[in-house]
């Protein structure tokens, strides 16, 4: 499996999986959210989850719901890497586009409370929210109520799932098992 994409809700461990794939398996990572962060910084806007969501939805309305996936895929191909992993997939059209390019999708699943505890420790600019706000954001991103995001549909479209409710070693073991399995694109 040369090209992978990760789907997971906020705090699920997408970055941890990317870091492991880069460090241990020679992948290059591309985050669709990083594209948004760069654009927000260029506009001088704070990197809050609300700004990221509004900007993403606006961009997807103008350029189509798969625009971030298209940009990241083109960047990955032009960089010349033979293995790459995409993260922060949030819309079913992004999934469809990347699958059309032969990308294998992995869902990362963790319950809401555990994800909230993780973001509190992570402390990104967008992570300083109370549990109620975190849950409201999660509901909005998951259900498709936000026009640019429908994480539940993306998770359902994945080819394989990882359970990230345990420790890092357990997660890495699952990744190794998947990469050495007979599952092919």
């Amino acid at each position: 499996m040369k090209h992978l994409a990760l789907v997971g809700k906020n705090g699920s461990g997408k970055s941890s999986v990317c870091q492991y794939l880069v460090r241990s398996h020679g992948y290059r990572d591309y985050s669709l959210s990083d594209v948004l962060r760069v654009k927000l910084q260029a506009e001088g806007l704070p990197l809050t989850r609300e700004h990221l969501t509004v900007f993403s939805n606006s961009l997807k309305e103008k350029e189509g719901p798969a625009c971030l996936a298209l940009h990241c895929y083109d960047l990955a191909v032009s960089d010349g890497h033979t293995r790459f992993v995409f993260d922060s997939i949030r819309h079913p059209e992004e999934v469809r586009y990347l699958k059309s390019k032969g990308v294998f999708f992995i869902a990362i699943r963790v319950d809401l409370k555990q994800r909230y505890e993780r973001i509190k420790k992570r402390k990104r600019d967008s992570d300083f929210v109370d549990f109620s706000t975190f849950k409201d954001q999660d509901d909005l991103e998951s259900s498709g109520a936000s026009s640019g995001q429908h994480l539940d549909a993306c998770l359902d479209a994945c080819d394989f799932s990882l359970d990230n409710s345990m420790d890092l070693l357990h997660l890495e073991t699952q990744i190794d098992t998947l990469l050495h399995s007979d599952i092919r694109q």
Side-chain angles (χ1 to χ4, degrees):
M1 291 173 274
K2 290 177 18 175
H3 309 312
L4 304 172
L6 307 175
V7 178
K9 296 181 180 184
N10 189 14
S12 63
K14 297 179 300 293
S15 296
S16 295
V17 173
C18 280
Q19 289 167 4
Y20 182 69
L21 288 167
V22 168
R23 183 180 70 246
S24 298
H25 294 283
Y27 280 79
R28 172 79 189 263
D29 64 320
Y30 296 88
S31 170
L32 278 64
S33 291
D34 284 349
V35 171
L36 295 173
R37 287 183 185 95
V38 167
K39 291 180 182 286
L40 278 175
Q41 286 176 324
E43 298 285 326
L45 296 169
L47 298 178
T48 65
R49 194 147 196 93
E50 292 79 15
H51 278 108
L52 286 165
T53 300
V54 168
F55 192 80
S56 173
N57 290 350
S58 172
L59 191 62
K60 288 175 182 181
E61 283 178 26
K62 291 177 191 167
E63 299 181 22
C67 66
L68 295 173
L70 178 82
H71 175 76
C72 279
Y73 185 82
D74 288 347
L75 179 61
V77 170
S78 70
D79 282 350
H81 293 280
T82 57
R83 291 187 200 181
F84 36 87
V85 57
F86 302 98
D87 80 350
S88 298
I89 311 297
R90 301 187 175 284
H91 193 281
E93 288 301 318
E94 294 168 339
V95 174
R96 279 190 265 290
Y97 174 76
L98 291 172
K99 278 191 172 198
S100 78
K101 300 296 185 182
V103 176
F104 182 81
F105 273 76
I106 302 170
I108 305 170
R109 299 184 186 271
V110 185
D111 72 50
L112 183 73
K113 287 192 181 245
Q114 195 170 7
R115 290 186 289 113
Y116 180 67
E117 292 303 318
R118 288 178 180 173
I119 70 149
K120 285 182 7 184
K121 291 177 185 170
R122 179 175 71 185
K123 297 181 182 177
R124 277 191 195 150
D125 289 344
S126 59
D127 291 340
F128 295 99
V129 297
D130 61 27
F131 182 74
S132 177
T133 301
F134 180 77
K135 184 180 180 327
D136 290 345
Q137 290 171 342
D138 191 72
D139 290 343
L140 184 67
E141 294 172 2
S142 297
S143 67
S146 170
S147 62
Q149 303 180 71
H150 196 315
L151 282 172
D152 285 345
C154 294
L155 287 163
D156 290 344
C158 287
D159 303 298
F160 189 80
S161 287
L162 300 176
D163 171 18
N164 192 17
S165 63
M166 298 173 77
D167 61 19
L168 191 57
L169 180 60
H170 181 259
L171 179 65
E172 292 172 353
T173 300
Q174 289 178 84
I175 295 165
D176 290 341
T177 299
L178 172 64
L179 293 178
H180 295 100
S181 72
D182 286 333
I183 298 172
R184 298 288 182 249
Q185 299 185 56

